[in-house]
Amino acid sequence: MITIQGKGVSTGVAVGPLYFYHRAKSTVSRYEVTDTDAEWARFKTAQERAVKELGDLAEKARKEAGEEAALLFETHAMMAEDLEFEENIQSLIHDKKLNAEAAVSDTAAQFAEMFAMMDDAYFQARAADVKDVAERILGILTGAVQGGVDSPVPVILAADDLAPSETVQLDKSKILGFITEGGSGSSHTAILARTMGIPAIIGVGDAMKPEYAGHEVIIDGSNGSILVDADEAARAKMLKKMEEQKKTQALLDEFKGKPNVTKDGQSIRIYCNIGSPDDVTAVLKNDAGGVGLFRSEFLYLNCDDYPDEDYQFEAYKLALSNMEGREVIIRTLDIGADKQIAYFNMPKEENPALGNRALRICLNRPEIFHTQLRALYRASAFGKLGIMFPMVTSVWEVREAKKMCELVKKELTNEGIPFDEDVEVGIMIETPAAAIISDRLAKEVDFFSCGTNDLTQYTLACDRQNNDLGRFFNPHHTAVLRLLKMVCDNAHKNGIWVGICGELGADLSLTETFLSIGIDELSVSPRSVLPLRQKVRDIDVRVVREKILTDLMGDTIGEI
Ligand code: PEP
Ligand code: MG
């Protein structure tokens, strides 16, 4: 039995075979073949499968993203079958006795170079397409799989790290748990794991050896422990823990249908964070009052090209109608920083977390913002929608964003398309600037939702992606909590409500603090709803409030 220790970032015990995530990028081996006919047949089979995959992708793109996106895949399919491309590969296999991978790779490099040297910008751009097509064929030849997991049974997935775009594209029914070499607890991959309710452990370094692939592993996301080939006693202990968790869940079920009210009668709304309309099932199952944060960028991360208005409309409408009248707050596009999307063609930035991200992109590229807002307002006719903007720092940004909302509403009215006139428009408070001017911002919007992941990052000048910052990244820091109190006070003075949708909202050691400063809503992962309800119902705010506020605002509290 091998024991490995990492950092648990999403609770739960999972057991299953270990599987290493395969990036589409394949390493190409090079060797001489004797049976050139068999090697040629191997290439032909891979080529055929690539053409089929590209055809399927073209169909999917046509439905979801329009004709232009479909054309890209159709062009790729044609390239995969291009006669000159194929003849070059054939001659390398038959005449030079090269293996298929090396023949494809050399041919692609040669063709890409030829395109790159052309004068015409259109043909220069085809160099990337050739590489892309070759990468797909190589992926099939080497067994590397687009999208990561090619296993008939669900697995514990190990990877060096997973980008949010890679995580969203995984087939969730195949994943029992995650283990990553690097990563951080506030990264979007960890957040996604919690949203999906999948146990996850990060920061194991190089401890997961390739030879463990296929071996049974047991992971415990609450304490970060990993057992490879557990002995009988350890296995039984972990399985017992798994059973206990199921029982605890069953006990929590008794809180379904009960109000989130403290012993002294203070109520708070408990909502959920989701990344796709599919997550609504878990929201309803855990009896949340609504969705406090729908990270709409995950729709974009799941597409190969800009999702068009109809595609987005269908997704938002699905979430709203499935929520059966409960509120759904959809955050407008928040990409940039760790959430990079190739088709946005954003210039590389030295400090992307401080760069062109979220609302900044939407204001700089109004056509993207306009499409999303049209889809959102159209969907508002199918449920109770709220819209919020991320990464606000100034009043003018909010005014400009609201102007775009007004324009969209006017357009829909002129086109006779129904929408809800009373959609609440709010902003996220996730920069110190927004918190400090929250008195002014409160006059512009219907609500605030505090993004404590970014608020902590920006207040403490600590990169949320960097797991090595350890104790320096402290969301409990008095500076963060005082900002939250300031935001609450300013919101309430101006008659608007305030919530928390960052990960801190689910931190049960702070629930008393949040109730004491007057937070109106906590939006958490679906699995956190019932434990939070249980906690709220156990608190008497009258008993704790004074001490909490004195500790928070006084000058005597110990270490900060
Ligand atoms: C936050 O910053 O707290 C937040 C909720 O947004 P995200 O984690 O998606 O950046
Ligand atoms: Mg944020």
Side-chain angles (χ1 to χ4, degrees):
M1 174 171 88
I2 296 141
T3 309
I4 295 163
Q5 190 60 45
K7 182 173 167 194
V9 293
S10 180
T11 58
V13 176
V15 189
L18 184 69
Y19 185 95
F20 283 93
Y21 182 75
H22 296 294
R23 290 245 145 60
K25 219 153 193 58
S26 341
T27 36
V28 174
S29 51
R30 179 174 295 272
Y31 51 91
E32 195 178 304
V33 289
T34 42
D35 188 347
T36 53
D37 284 343
E39 199 61 8
W40 173 243
R42 207 161 74 79
F43 163 73
K44 287 299 285 179
T45 311
Q47 181 197 38
E48 225 169 81
R49 191 169 135 197
V51 171
K52 160 97 180 54
E53 280 178 9
L54 287 161
D56 292 347
L57 277 173
E59 271 322 295
K60 187 165 181 271
R62 180 163 288 113
K63 278 198 215 107
E64 296 177 356
E67 199 52 43
E68 206 179 323
L71 201 61
L72 176 81
F73 293 115
E74 282 170 356
T75 313
H76 280 199
M78 270 156 45
M79 280 180 167
E81 291 184 296
D82 178 77
L83 205 59
E84 271 183 61
F85 184 69
E86 194 180 287
E87 279 172 2
N88 208 77
I89 292 167
Q90 191 173 25
S91 118
L92 288 174
I93 293 177
H94 277 128
D95 307 339
K96 299 260 161 67
K97 300 198 181 317
L98 258 190
N99 61 313
E101 289 87 342
V104 170
S105 171
D106 288 2
T107 303
Q110 193 182 318
F111 276 56
E113 196 185 335
M114 190 178 76
F115 277 127
M117 278 162 55
M118 290 184 175
D119 284 338
D120 187 310
Y122 174 82
F123 285 111
Q124 283 171 2
R126 301 288 70 76
D129 291 327
V130 174
K131 286 187 196 153
D132 212 3
V133 169
E135 202 47 62
R136 179 173 296 277
I137 301 175
L138 286 171
I140 296 166
L141 283 168
T142 57
V145 181
Q146 299 273 341
V149 179
D150 183 21
S151 160
V153 292
V155 297
I156 307 267
L157 188 67
D160 48 358
D161 203 353
L162 287 166
S165 58
E166 292 172 324
T167 316
V168 287
Q169 287 182 37
L170 290 170
D171 175 357
K172 315 295 176 304
S173 66
K174 289 281 170 65
I175 313 290
L176 298 165
F178 290 109
I179 303 172
T180 60
E181 262 177 43
S184 96
S186 351
S187 70
H188 284 93
T189 300
I191 290 172
L192 273 169
R194 288 193 284 271
T195 304
M196 298 184 295
I198 296 175
I201 294 175
I202 59 160
V204 298
D206 60 2
M208 299 308 296
K209 308 284 181 221
E211 57 266 31
Y212 302 159
H215 288 231
E216 185 188 87
V217 284
I218 308 182
I219 65 172
D220 184 349
S222 50
N223 60 18
S225 71
I226 301 169
L227 303 179
V228 183
D229 296 327
D231 59 34
E232 265 319 301
R235 192 168 194 278
K237 198 170 147 202
M238 289 295 250
L239 293 185
K240 189 161 167 240
K241 191 162 179 187
M242 214 167 152
E243 276 313 304
E244 276 162 10
Q245 280 173 351
K246 280 193 197 140
K247 280 193 203 134
T248 312
Q249 186 53 47
L251 282 180
L252 282 170
D253 281 353
E254 91 183 50
F255 288 94
K256 286 186 185 169
K258 299 213 166 127
N260 313 307
V261 181
T262 62
K263 284 184 172 157
D264 54 326
Q266 183 172 329
S267 52
I268 187 161
R269 299 199 301 278
I270 302 182
Y271 280 15
C272 278
N273 296 343
I274 63 170
S276 103
D278 295 343
D279 298 332
V280 165
T281 316
V283 177
L284 294 173
K285 188 168 158 244
N286 288 283
D287 191 35
V291 169
L293 166 64
F294 178 159
R295 290 181 162 96
S296 70
E297 59 276 8
F298 288 127
L299 287 185
Y300 291 70
L301 281 162
N302 226 343
C303 292
D304 295 322
D305 203 348
Y306 297 99
D308 67 10
E309 182 182 318
D310 282 342
Y311 175 81
Q312 293 190 56
F313 163 68
E314 291 298 341
Y316 305 146
K317 176 182 157 193
L318 188 63
L320 280 157
S321 38
N322 287 348
M323 280 297 290
E324 298 157 357
R326 299 187 204 194
E327 187 172 20
V328 178
I329 297 173
I330 302 183
R331 165 172 86 184
T332 55
L333 182 65
D334 182 6
I335 61 152
D338 64 320
K339 288 175 284 191
Q340 295 292 336
I341 303 183
Y343 59 80
F344 271 73
N345 288 321
M346 304 285 293
K348 201 165 162 28
E349 296 173 300
E350 278 294 317
N351 294 300
L354 302 179
N356 201 8
R357 61 169 290 202
L359 185 60
R360 294 174 185 176
I361 294 180
C362 289
L363 296 181
N364 284 339
R365 296 177 66 177
E367 69 290 354
I368 295 175
F369 197 30
H370 179 250
T371 304
Q372 182 171 37
L373 287 175
R374 278 188 61 102
L376 284 169
Y377 275 101
R378 279 174 59 197
S380 71
F382 297 86
K384 189 168 186 304
L385 174 71
I387 296 177
M388 69 178 171
F389 309 124
M391 256 309 263
V392 166
T393 54
S394 305
V395 170
W396 69 262
E397 297 163 347
V398 182
R399 290 195 177 148
E400 208 169 300
K402 278 172 45 191
K403 228 185 239 168
M404 184 64 98
C405 293
E406 289 312 310
L407 173 80
V408 163
K409 283 158 74 176
K410 210 181 265 167
E411 280 174 8
L412 296 181
T413 307
N414 290 341
E415 293 164 32
I417 297 175
F419 65 92
D420 179 4
E421 289 282 357
D422 299 320
V423 171
E424 283 201 325
V425 175
I427 55 169
M428 293 190 65
I429 301 287
E430 45 186 356
T431 63
I436 292 163
I437 60 162
S438 52
D439 55 335
R440 304 216 179 147
L441 289 166
K443 297 184 172 54
E444 307 288 328
V445 291
D446 299 315
F447 66 90
F448 287 152
S449 185
C450 300
T452 48
N453 309 330
D454 278 317
L455 188 61
T456 305
Q457 152 163 275
Y458 296 127
T459 304
L460 304 183
C462 267
D463 180 359
R464 63 189 273 191
Q465 296 295 115
N466 185 346
N467 198 33
D468 296 334
L469 287 169
R471 60 204 167 119
F472 295 104
F473 188 90
N474 172 20
H476 288 217
H477 195 292
T478 303
V480 176
L481 299 178
R482 281 189 180 178
L483 285 177
L484 290 178
K485 180 173 183 308
M486 181 196 268
V487 172
C488 264
D489 292 345
N490 284 330
H492 293 159
K493 263 185 226 153
N494 287 281
I496 66 169
W497 64 264
V498 56
I500 293 179
C501 62
E503 296 303 290
L504 211 56
D507 185 333
L508 300 183
S509 69
L510 285 173
T511 313
E512 290 174 339
T513 304
F514 296 150
L515 285 162
S516 298
I517 63 175
I519 292 285
D520 302 292
E521 176 240 38
L522 293 169
S523 191
V524 298
S525 66
R527 263 195 324 183
S528 300
V529 170
L530 295 174
L532 187 51
R533 177 170 298 161
Q534 181 183 29
K535 176 78 187 179
V536 166
R537 292 172 62 86
D538 209 32
I539 293 173
D540 189 331
V541 188
R542 286 168 312 188
V543 175
V544 292
R545 189 168 189 275
E546 200 178 316
K547 175 161 184 348
I548 285 176
L549 293 186
T550 311
D551 285 351
L552 181 59
M553 303 312 290
D555 56 7
T556 49
I557 181 81
E559 279 179 41
I560 292 178

